[in-house]
Amino acid sequence: MWTSGRMSNAKSWLGLGMSLYFWGLMDLTTTVLSGTPTPPGKLEAFLSDKPQSHSRTKRSWVWNQFFVLEEYTGTDPLYVGKLHSDMDRGDGSIKYILSGEGAGVVFTIDDTTGDIHAIQRLDREERAQYTLRAQALDRRTGRPMEPESEFIIKIQDINDNEPKFLDGPYVATVPEMSPVGTSVIQVTATDADDPTYGNSARVMYSILQGQPYFSVDSKTGVIRTALMNMDREAKEYYEVIIQAKDMGGQLGGLAGTTTVNITLSDVNDNPPRFPQKHYQMSVLESAPVSSTVGRVFAKDLDEGINAEMKYTIVDGDGADAFDINTDPNFQVGIITVKKPLSFETKKSYTLKVEGANPHLEMRFLNLGPFQDTTTVHISVEDVDEPPAFEPGFYFVEVPEDVAIGTTIQIISAKDPDVTNNSIRYSIDRSSDPGRFFYVDITTGALMTARPLDREEFSWHNITVLAMEMNNPSQVGSVPVTIKVLDVNDNAPKFPRFYEAFVCENAKAGQLIQTVSAVDQDDPRNGQHFYYSLAPEAANNPNFTVRDNQDNTARVLTRRSGFRQQEQSVFYLPILISDNGQPVLSSTGTLTIQVCSCDDDGHVLSCSPEAYMLPVRLSRGALIAILACIFVLLVLVLLILSMRRHRKQPYIIDDEENIHENIVRYDDEGGGEEDTEAFDIAAMWNPREAQAGGASKTRQDMLPEIESLSRYVPQTCAVSSTVHSYVLTKLYEADMDLWAAPFDSLQTYMFEGDGSVAGSLSSLQSATSDSEQSFDFLTDWGPRFRKLAELYGASEGPAPLW
């Protein structure tokens, strides 16, 4: 039977009928009654619940747990306990073996005595107990003397671990101005020691830094505010140090600390205030709408949503001319232009601006009011403005048959500045590329310059410009929309070529064709067309026209018995009239073929000599057609190549240029109809060409003009080769309608004929102004009106200049 070193308590020992061997009674009694681990080896106990006379199998092992303190710091192995078998006679014949957790590494056993020692430092926080197995063997035979059994070695705790804040350092937030006792955060410290053994793991909390602002609950670790009216604007951040101490906070306990960073969050406890009670601003009168004039700022010590501002204009004479908006990023009030300004109308404005917090807290209303006002003075500065049109848009309706030069609208603009400079009008030609309109430069009268055609352009959108005389850079513009009204200037006509047929077996009154018409005009009451036979066909015996009164007409036969051999085609003229004022009409021709038909009216043949076309072409015919097409293509390419080759001489290389001379002439050209002026000799020497016996003498060349030819070099000679070359090229160019114009140098010595305006040259003119008449200028249109007024006939005395 085995014995071990400890039983659970004294009562259990006393009830077992113990026999004590080898050790003194006092030592055993003291050990048992004290409740401490009994030193192994000092006790042997035989367990027997009945008298010895009753025979039964006895337990060979009597086990209790072994206990050993952690953190042993001695130099010798730590004695744990002793194992002993009742078969051990002390002669060393029994060999004790230890196995299991830590056997041979942490714990060893004396195989002769059964003493167990710990050979390594034990830490309960790393491992609280070890489970091992013991066995007694016969040293000589190795035969087990006792069955193998398990036992436990428990590590007994000591206070060797301080409390630790595993989640530290902490960050917390609490609103400013919070009442005393407001919970901020709870901190928790843990102690690795055994909480079931003594006070080693009993933790108490205290505050080392952060008073008098905060306090901590000693048992729960809850941090609370301890001071009222803590203001974020005065101090925002706090660093609080909390201590956790074990052993219930008693002297000798281990302690750990952590840091809690507490931030006071903002509340709306500060009203906004303008640092300036008066603002002075200025703005140009030309500033566009929504442009910025200036900024105002109401300072608020709060932040975030509590510092948000809303600015409004609450009073002043500029509430209708200016507006104010809040910049959400910087919380400033931006004053902008609400409508166009005019220095000439009003030179200054006064605004009363209010800045207020939109988000209020009821418990802080007593700290208000949470709004403030300031005064803003805005001066309008004068600028040189472009002319302004009144109205700013023109809409004009004009009939398309209006005469050229008719005034259709007076465009009016004025200088808005005090100086009121003179205005000059013009049309932006990019808006009127066809030059249909003209505006008087001084009066602004808009006139037609070309005939208008509604069917070509029904709308014209032009831009009229107004420029200051003293400052041409100041230009105003106004859009003018012109609607061209329709007049009845287009006769109705057939929309397409009509071709019908009539059967030889047709009866009188049979419908041949239904015709319709189109008219480019767009009358206000809608289109209505009238159909009838043309006057020359009014008594047509073959066909008649019936008006359907819906802008269509029917063509009917008047007789029967049509024959192809007699007449195969009929041309029926139809008169189409509209309902416009004046009434316009046109004649359309309906082509009617006589055809042979079957009894159902299906056409069999419309030719006097009926024949059947082949259903399909043979392969040989197709090849012949393709060959012809190929030959035609080759001929076309050959002709184009020859034409291109013929045009190449027009481009004269530098090496082929025979003469490079500068010709100076001081006379005036004669226009397009001057065919007598060209003389190749005159290109070099007009005097020599005239003296050479030319058939036509220049009668219009006066001696004064002729004398200028002395400046032309006289040493140049013209060869017949050049003469022939130029004439040949001119002829080719005139005959070739697709050739580019060929440049030539000509001298003109007389005035041409055929111009509508007549001669404008002073050559051979009278020496007195009184002999000349400029009345014809009045017939040239509105563009020459000013010239006609300057040079027209006058009954008064001659001007002094």
Side-chain angles (χ1 to χ4, degrees):
M1 184 173 103
W2 289 88
T3 61
S4 63
R6 180 176 179 268
M7 299 301 284
S8 58
N9 51 55
K11 184 181 289 185
S12 63
W13 281 103
L14 296 176
L16 293 177
M18 297 180 295
S19 298
L20 303 180
Y21 298 91
F22 308 112
W23 300 281
L25 179 61
M26 184 59 67
D27 291 340
L28 174 61
T29 304
T30 302
T31 300
V32 172
L33 295 179
S34 66
T36 59
T38 305
K42 290 187 177 182
L43 174 65
E44 287 184 341
F46 291 91
L47 299 180
S48 178
D49 297 333
K50 295 184 179 181
Q52 297 293 327
S53 60
H54 182 71
S55 176
R56 71 170 191 161
T57 304
K58 297 183 294 181
R59 293 184 58 187
S60 299
W61 293 88
V62 178
W63 289 111
N64 272 320
Q65 297 175 344
F66 288 96
F67 292 88
V68 61
L69 292 176
E70 64 172 337
E71 303 294 344
Y72 173 70
T73 58
T75 58
D76 297 330
L78 177 63
Y79 182 75
V80 178
K82 182 181 182 65
L83 296 178
H84 183 74
S85 174
D86 57 356
M87 295 183 182
D88 188 357
R89 302 294 182 239
D91 55 359
S93 61
I94 300 299
K95 180 181 180 180
Y96 296 98
I97 296 176
L98 187 66
S99 63
E101 296 175 348
V105 178
V106 180
F107 301 100
T108 61
I109 187 171
D110 190 317
D111 61 353
T112 301
T113 64
D115 293 335
I116 301 174
H117 292 82
I119 60 175
Q120 286 191 4
R121 177 174 170 269
L122 301 177
D123 189 353
R124 189 200 67 83
E125 287 71 35
E126 293 181 2
R127 194 178 185 95
Q129 66 181 23
Y130 295 86
T131 301
L132 296 99
R133 295 183 297 276
Q135 192 172 25
L137 303 177
D138 188 294
R139 188 178 295 274
R140 291 175 300 173
T141 63
R143 182 175 61 85
M145 302 298 294
E146 299 282 354
E148 183 182 57
S149 296
E150 290 184 347
F151 66 96
I152 298 173
I153 299 178
K154 287 192 173 183
I155 311 302
Q156 217 168 16
D157 183 51
I158 64 173
N159 189 21
D160 61 339
N161 290 279
E162 73 277 4
K164 293 182 179 180
F165 294 91
L166 301 181
D167 297 330
Y170 295 85
V171 177
T173 303
V174 63
E176 63 174 332
M177 312 297 289
S178 296
V180 174
T182 301
S183 175
V184 180
I185 193 175
Q186 182 178 16
V187 297
T188 302
T190 58
D191 196 317
D193 293 327
D194 189 358
T196 64
Y197 182 76
N199 293 327
S200 299
R202 184 185 174 194
V203 178
M204 300 294 287
Y205 299 94
S206 61
I207 184 169
L208 301 183
Q209 177 181 313
Q211 294 175 330
Y213 307 103
F214 300 95
S215 64
V216 63
D217 189 292
S218 61
K219 294 181 179 180
T220 62
V222 175
I223 300 176
R224 303 178 185 275
T225 57
L227 189 66
M228 64 183 303
N229 297 332
M230 287 192 293
D231 192 358
R232 183 196 66 84
E233 289 73 30
K235 185 176 182 180
E236 184 176 4
Y237 301 102
Y238 295 85
E239 184 179 76
V240 178
I241 298 178
I242 302 297
Q243 175 183 269
K245 191 174 183 180
D246 60 13
M247 298 299 292
Q250 298 177 3
L251 187 65
L254 302 179
T257 61
T258 188
T259 301
V260 182
N261 295 310
I262 301 176
T263 302
L264 296 184
S265 61
D266 185 61
V267 297
N268 193 7
D269 59 338
N270 292 280
R273 292 293 179 261
F274 283 101
Q276 293 180 240
K277 288 301 181 181
H278 297 279
Y279 287 85
Q280 184 68 40
M281 301 177 184
S282 62
V283 60
L284 298 176
E285 64 171 335
S286 61
V289 174
S290 299
S291 60
T292 300
V293 178
R295 291 172 171 82
V296 295
F297 175 65
K299 187 176 181 180
D300 193 328
L301 297 178
D302 297 321
E303 64 179 10
I305 191 174
N306 299 313
E308 288 185 4
M309 301 294 299
K310 182 179 180 181
Y311 296 91
T312 54
I313 299 175
V314 295
D315 198 4
D317 57 358
D320 57 341
F322 300 93
D323 199 359
I324 188 168
N325 300 293
T326 303
D327 186 339
N329 296 322
F330 301 98
Q331 301 302 322
V332 298
I334 303 176
I335 299 176
T336 57
V337 179
K338 188 176 182 180
K339 69 176 184 179
L341 304 175
S342 176
F343 173 82
E344 292 73 23
T345 303
K346 189 173 180 61
K347 298 180 176 59
S348 64
Y349 295 88
T350 300
L351 304 176
K352 186 177 182 180
V353 177
E354 179 186 82
N357 288 141
H359 306 285
L360 301 178
E361 294 191 27
M362 301 302 296
R363 60 194 180 105
F364 298 121
L365 289 180
N366 60 322
L367 301 177
F370 284 83
Q371 68 266 351
D372 196 15
T373 59
T374 186
T375 303
V376 181
H377 297 281
I378 302 176
S379 301
V380 180
E381 297 183 357
D382 187 27
V383 296
D384 190 3
E385 299 175 277
F389 289 89
E390 185 63 36
F393 172 78
Y394 287 90
F395 175 76
V396 183
E397 292 183 336
V398 56
E400 60 179 325
D401 61 348
V402 64
I404 296 177
T406 302
T407 300
I408 61 175
Q409 180 68 46
I410 300 297
I411 308 298
S412 177
K414 67 176 182 178
D415 185 4
D417 298 320
V418 178
T419 55
N420 195 18
N421 293 321
S422 299
I423 306 297
R424 293 295 179 264
Y425 299 93
S426 63
I427 295 178
D428 184 357
R429 286 307 171 191
S430 63
S431 65
D432 184 26
R435 297 181 179 268
F436 288 95
F437 302 97
Y438 168 80
V439 65
D440 188 272
I441 192 172
T442 57
T443 64
L446 183 63
M447 297 172 283
T448 57
R450 286 181 53 188
L452 303 179
D453 188 0
R454 188 201 66 85
E455 289 70 36
E456 182 181 4
F457 299 105
S458 59
W459 293 87
H460 295 270
N461 295 295
I462 65 174
T463 301
V464 177
L465 307 177
M467 178 188 68
E468 290 186 13
M469 284 292 293
N470 295 339
N471 188 0
S473 63
Q474 296 297 329
V475 179
S477 63
V478 65
V480 181
T481 298
I482 302 170
K483 180 181 181 181
V484 181
L485 302 178
D486 182 59
V487 297
N488 193 29
D489 58 347
N490 292 279
K493 59 183 180 180
F494 286 147
R496 57 183 177 84
F497 174 72
Y498 280 109
E499 184 175 12
F501 69 90
V502 60
C503 293
E504 291 181 324
N505 56 0
K507 298 179 180 180
Q510 183 173 334
L511 175 64
I512 297 177
Q513 181 71 42
T514 300
V515 296
S516 61
V518 294
D519 192 336
Q520 294 183 358
D521 294 323
D522 185 18
R524 182 171 301 177
N525 297 327
Q527 299 278 10
H528 187 75
F529 303 131
Y530 303 94
Y531 300 89
S532 63
L533 290 177
E536 62 270 19
N539 298 321
N540 190 298
N542 302 312
F543 305 97
T544 185
V545 176
R546 300 285 179 86
D547 196 333
N548 295 329
Q549 300 301 319
D550 60 355
N551 290 340
T552 63
R554 295 171 294 164
V555 179
L556 308 175
T557 59
R558 276 189 172 180
R559 66 178 179 87
S560 61
F562 292 95
R563 295 291 180 267
Q564 289 183 356
Q565 291 77 10
E566 297 177 0
Q567 187 173 351
S568 61
V569 179
F570 291 91
Y571 298 98
L572 184 64
I574 300 176
L575 181 66
I576 312 169
S577 304
D578 60 16
N579 61 335
Q581 294 294 331
V583 176
L584 298 180
S585 63
S586 67
T587 301
T589 301
L590 173 64
T591 302
I592 305 173
Q593 289 188 351
V594 180
C595 303
S596 60
C597 307
D598 58 13
D599 294 338
D600 296 329
H602 298 115
V603 176
L604 298 178
S605 174
C606 292
S607 176
E609 297 179 358
Y611 62 92
M612 294 298 292
L613 294 176
V615 177
R616 60 180 180 180
L617 297 176
S618 64
R619 181 177 299 177
L622 290 176
I623 294 175
I625 293 174
L626 293 177
C628 293
I629 294 175
F630 178 74
V631 172
L632 289 176
L633 290 176
V634 172
L635 290 176
V636 171
L637 293 176
L638 183 60
I639 291 173
L640 293 177
S641 178
M642 293 177 63
R643 288 173 59 86
R644 184 176 181 182
H645 180 71
R646 187 179 65 180
K647 295 177 184 178
Q648 288 180 354
Y650 291 152
I651 303 174
I652 302 176
D653 297 333
D654 293 339
E655 297 179 356
E656 297 178 0
N657 192 3
I658 300 176
H659 292 285
E660 295 180 358
N661 298 285
I662 299 176
V663 179
R664 176 175 178 178
Y665 58 95
D666 297 277
D667 50 348
E668 190 167 345
E672 297 178 355
E673 298 184 5
D674 186 1
T675 58
E676 301 176 354
F678 182 79
D679 188 354
I680 191 64
M683 296 176 64
W684 313 113
N685 190 350
R687 179 180 299 174
E688 183 176 317
Q690 185 176 359
S695 60
K696 295 184 180 181
T697 305
R698 305 300 295 268
Q699 299 295 331
D700 56 336
M701 186 172 182
L702 296 182
E704 294 79 8
I705 303 301
E706 183 179 356
S707 63
L708 296 176
S709 63
R710 67 178 183 271
Y711 295 101
V712 180
Q714 305 297 321
T715 59
C716 298
V718 180
S719 65
S720 59
T721 303
V722 176
H723 195 177
S724 301
Y725 175 81
V726 173
L727 291 177
T728 301
K729 294 302 178 184
L730 286 175
Y731 177 78
E732 292 178 358
D734 291 338
M735 294 297 101
D736 192 353
L737 299 179
W738 291 273
F742 190 82
D743 294 336
S744 63
L745 180 63
Q746 303 181 20
T747 58
Y748 297 91
M749 297 295 185
F750 68 97
E751 191 78 9
D753 298 329
S755 174
V756 177
S759 176
L760 297 180
S761 174
S762 60
L763 301 177
Q764 297 181 344
S765 62
T767 58
S768 175
D769 292 340
S770 62
E771 298 178 5
Q772 301 186 36
S773 175
F774 298 93
D775 294 339
F776 58 86
L777 294 175
T778 58
D779 300 328
W780 287 9
R783 294 189 178 184
F784 294 87
R785 181 180 300 172
K786 181 61 70 176
L787 191 63
E789 293 175 0
L790 294 176
Y791 290 94
S794 176
E795 297 296 333
L800 297 178
W801 59 87

